[in-house]
């Protein structure tokens, strides 16, 4: 997966620190691990996200509902697609790149984002109208 050079630098530093910290001890093959060297627990990741989202004001102190991590993925995917449309790029051709970033094995798992928001539908209609105008 293509990563920005600054991301590669940070990940390389993390990997080096992780190797120094754990030494010869057996550690999960997952990149990010818990304090015990195991893969991160999904439930704990979500609970941490809820705590942080309350701290920064995305959720009220007593809210039982609010933004979820999956919502962040959806927002990222949708805004990426809208940006591609607005920049006259080809979302269909670029979809495999977005698929890889989202960790989808099949592009079809990402394609539904193409119709998932009013903004995207508006951009698709704009492009379709331009296509029909140019045919006349």
């Amino acid at each position: 997966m293509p990563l920005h050079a600054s991301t590669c630098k940070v990940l390389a530093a993390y990997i080096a620190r992780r190797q120094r910290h754990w030494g010869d001890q057996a550690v999960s093959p997952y990149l990010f691990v818990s304090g015990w060297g195991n893969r991160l627990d999904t439930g704990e990741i979500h609970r941490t996200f809820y705590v942080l989202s309350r701290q920064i004001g995305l959720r009220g102190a007593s809210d039982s509902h609010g933004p979820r991590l999956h919502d962040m993925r959806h927002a990222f995917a949708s805004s990426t697609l809208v940006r591609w449309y607005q920049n006259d790029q080809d979302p269909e051709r670029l979809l495999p790149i977005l698929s890889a970033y989202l960790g989808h094995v099949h592009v079809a798992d990402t394609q539904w984002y193409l119709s998932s928001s009013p903004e995207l539908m508006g951009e698709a209609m704009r492009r379709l109208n331009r296509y029909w105008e140019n045919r006349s």
Side-chain angles (χ1 to χ4, degrees):
M1 174 183 329
L3 295 173
H4 191 273
S6 62
T7 303
C8 292
K9 185 177 179 180
V10 170
L11 286 174
Y14 167 77
I15 291 168
R17 278 193 316 271
R18 178 188 144 143
Q19 288 172 337
R20 282 192 307 273
H21 176 77
W22 293 106
D24 293 331
Q25 295 178 26
V27 179
S28 169
Y30 284 79
L31 180 60
F32 299 108
V33 297
S34 71
W36 298 280
N38 301 322
R39 72 180 241 188
L40 297 174
D41 175 67
T42 304
E44 188 60 31
I45 291 169
H46 288 275
R47 286 186 292 279
T48 300
F49 176 76
Y50 300 147
V51 167
L52 293 173
S53 65
R54 284 186 179 97
Q55 288 176 0
I56 64 171
L58 289 176
R59 286 176 185 249
S62 61
D63 290 350
S64 61
H65 293 80
R68 304 165 300 157
L69 281 172
H70 192 81
D71 298 330
M72 301 298 177
R73 286 171 52 88
H74 179 82
F76 167 76
S78 296
S79 66
T80 298
L81 288 163
V82 167
R83 189 172 50 257
W84 287 344
Y85 273 114
Q86 290 172 342
N87 293 329
D88 289 323
Q89 293 178 295
D90 185 358
E92 296 271 352
R93 185 179 61 78
L94 295 169
L95 207 57
I97 295 169
L98 182 57
S99 240
Y101 274 109
L102 294 173
H104 293 159
V105 175
H106 305 286
V107 174
D109 296 335
T110 310
Q111 282 180 314
W112 75 273
Y113 283 110
L114 288 170
S115 61
S116 65
S117 75
E119 274 184 306
L120 276 171
M121 292 307 293
E123 289 299 326
M125 287 302 297
R126 182 181 63 83
R127 185 172 281 194
L128 183 62
N129 286 334
R130 192 171 64 218
Y131 170 79
W132 286 111
E133 288 169 2
N134 291 337
R135 288 191 60 170
S136 302

